[in-house]
Every structure is written in structure tokens, then in C-alpha cells.
């Protein structure tokens, strides 16, 4: 059901995120169809085979492919996978916790556009990526800005009176990434900011 709402948002339809505390905000998935300012700072740190987790319509997967870097996008939404393939990228309809090709082979894994929140438990997600990347591999994550609060949120998607099931999603402040990364098998953290976005490379 989440994927159906996400597809509608990719198609330009109005979809909202409803939080359990009553807050609402638009989903606006169409912004992931095109370059986002600051993307080049992510791409520049990808030097080997790259796994794009929650790749959506695949703007980063496709950009890496055009740069000559082997890349694979994974997403649970059929339309997102189709759009990636149509644009020339390689993508599979998979959850990050499903069996995936290339276990232990990936040089980088990307958690961009808030995807460190997948599953609602960033430590579990990062430990899964520790299995997927090579021993010297990196996770490049986009994070919430300094001073923001890390936490787990209960939310669902809403459109025209229809609602999906409640699910958990996490946010991680860049202030909190170092101890989280260390507990998850990534003792080294490099942090930077670009175009109003905050990132960390975990290795």
C-alpha cells in the first residue's frame, strides 16, 4: 500500500504524510525525479560498485551508470524501478532486508533523501549494510542538520480520504551519527555539508 501512494506522488498526485501526533506534510516525491542540488557531492565519493538503497526513480543510480560506475538501485515500488530502468539504470524491486546480489562486494552504499529512516531502526539498517559492503566499504548517508532531534516516528500516507497502514520511520541528526555508526560496525565517520544538506561517510 505504501508503494501505491508513492507511485501516485511520483505521478504528480497530492499525497500527504500523516504522523501519529497529528502533523501533516506533503510527500512531494516528484522532486526525486530530477537532480537535487548537492547530489554531485554524493556522486564524487562513489569510486566503486554502488548500491543505492531506496533508490526511488533512480536519479543517482542513473547518474553513476553514466559515470561508468557499476550501480544497482533497490526500491519496493514497481514504478520507481521501471523509471530507473527506462532512464538507463539497473534496478530491482527489493527491500534492503531481502536477499540481494553482491553481498560483501559493494564499495559504497547510499542512504540518501532520508532513507536512513527505512525500517525505523537505523542501527539494524546499518548493520545490514555492513554485511553488504566490502570490508573497506562505505555507507554514504544523508542526515538531519545539527541541532535536530533523532527519533523514531509512526506515520502513514494519506490521499483523498484513503490511508495506508501505520509504519515506523527514523530520523538521525548528524550530531548523533558517530556513536550510531560505531555500534553498527563503522568506526570512522567523515561529515560534511553542501547545498543546505548534511552528509556522513561511514567506514
Amino acid at each position: 500500500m505504501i508503494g501505491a501512494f508513492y507511485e501516485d506522488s511520483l505521478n504528480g498526485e497530492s499525497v500527504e504524510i500523516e504522523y501519529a501526533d497529528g502533523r501533516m506534510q506533503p510527500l512531494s516525491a516528484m522532486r526525486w525525479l530530477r537532480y537535487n542540488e548537492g547530489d554531485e557531492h554524493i556522486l564524487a565519493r562513489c569510486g566503486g560498485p554502488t548500491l543505492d538503497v531506496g533508490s526511488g526513480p533512480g536519479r543517482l543510480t542513473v547518474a553513476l551508470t553514466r559515470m561508468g560506475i557499476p550501480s544497482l538501485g533497490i526500491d519496493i515500488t514497481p514504478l520507481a524501478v521501471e523509471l530507473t530502468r527506462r532512464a538507463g539504470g539497473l534496478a530491482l524491486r527489493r527491500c534492503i532486508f531481502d536477499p540481494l546480489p553482491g553481498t560483501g562486494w559493494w564499495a559504497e552504499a547510499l542512504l540518501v533523501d532520508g532513507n536512513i529512516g527505512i525500517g525505523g531502526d537505523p542501527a539494524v539498517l546499518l548493520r545490514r549494510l555492513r554485511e553488504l559492503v566490502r570490508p573497506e566499504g562505505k555507507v554514504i548517508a544523508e542526515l538531519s542538520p545539527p541541532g535536530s532531534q533523532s527519533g523514531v516516528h509512526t506515520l502513514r500516507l494519506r490521499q483523498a480520504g484513503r490511508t495506508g497502514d501505520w509504519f515506523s520511520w527514523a530520523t538521525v541528526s548528524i550530531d548523533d551519527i558517530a556513536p550510531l555508526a560505531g555500534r553498527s560496525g563503522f568506526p570512522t565517520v567523515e561529515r560534511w555539508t553542501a547545498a543546505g544538506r548534511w552528509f556522513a561517510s561511514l567506514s
Side-chain angles (χ1 to χ4, degrees):
M1 193 65 172
I2 294 172
F5 284 113
Y6 183 67
E7 287 193 354
D8 288 342
S9 184
L10 281 175
N11 283 321
E13 298 182 33
S14 177
V15 177
E16 291 183 302
I17 302 169
E18 178 185 3
Y19 290 83
D21 63 7
R23 289 178 295 137
M24 303 281 286
Q25 69 181 59
L27 177 56
S28 305
M30 288 185 69
R31 69 185 185 273
W32 296 316
L33 288 165
R34 57 189 178 273
Y35 164 82
N36 284 206
E37 190 175 0
D39 283 353
E40 67 274 17
H41 295 273
I42 304 165
L43 300 171
R45 285 170 166 79
C46 298
T50 301
L51 181 67
D52 187 3
V53 180
S55 53
R59 75 180 192 281
L60 296 175
T61 303
V62 172
L64 289 166
T65 301
R66 292 173 177 168
M67 292 166 57
I69 295 174
S71 58
L72 173 67
I74 59 168
D75 201 280
I76 63 170
T77 307
L79 178 60
V81 171
E82 178 186 342
L83 290 171
T84 303
R85 293 173 176 172
R86 194 184 302 167
L90 180 63
L92 294 174
R93 185 186 177 194
R94 299 281 176 85
C95 169
I96 184 60
F97 300 106
D98 291 339
L100 293 171
T103 296
W105 176 71
W106 302 101
E108 284 88 24
L110 304 183
L111 290 173
V112 181
D113 302 325
N115 284 333
I116 196 164
I118 290 172
D121 192 330
V124 170
L125 178 59
L126 289 175
R127 286 196 292 269
R128 171 60 173 152
L129 293 180
R130 178 67 277 172
E131 298 171 353
L132 291 170
V133 299
R134 57 186 62 165
E136 71 279 13
K138 299 181 296 184
V139 171
I140 298 171
E142 185 170 1
L143 303 163
S144 300
S148 59
Q149 187 172 6
S150 301
V152 179
H153 312 277
T154 301
L155 51 91
R156 63 183 177 182
L157 301 183
R158 172 183 289 274
Q159 181 193 32
R162 298 184 301 126
T163 57
D165 295 331
W166 293 103
F167 62 96
S168 296
W169 196 269
T171 55
V172 178
S173 169
I174 198 159
D175 297 331
D176 299 326
I177 190 58
L180 172 63
R183 294 194 305 270
S184 306
F186 296 96
T188 303
V189 176
E190 175 196 0
R191 298 182 287 187
W192 74 95
T193 184
R197 300 164 68 185
W198 293 85
F199 305 96
S201 175
L202 319 180
S203 59

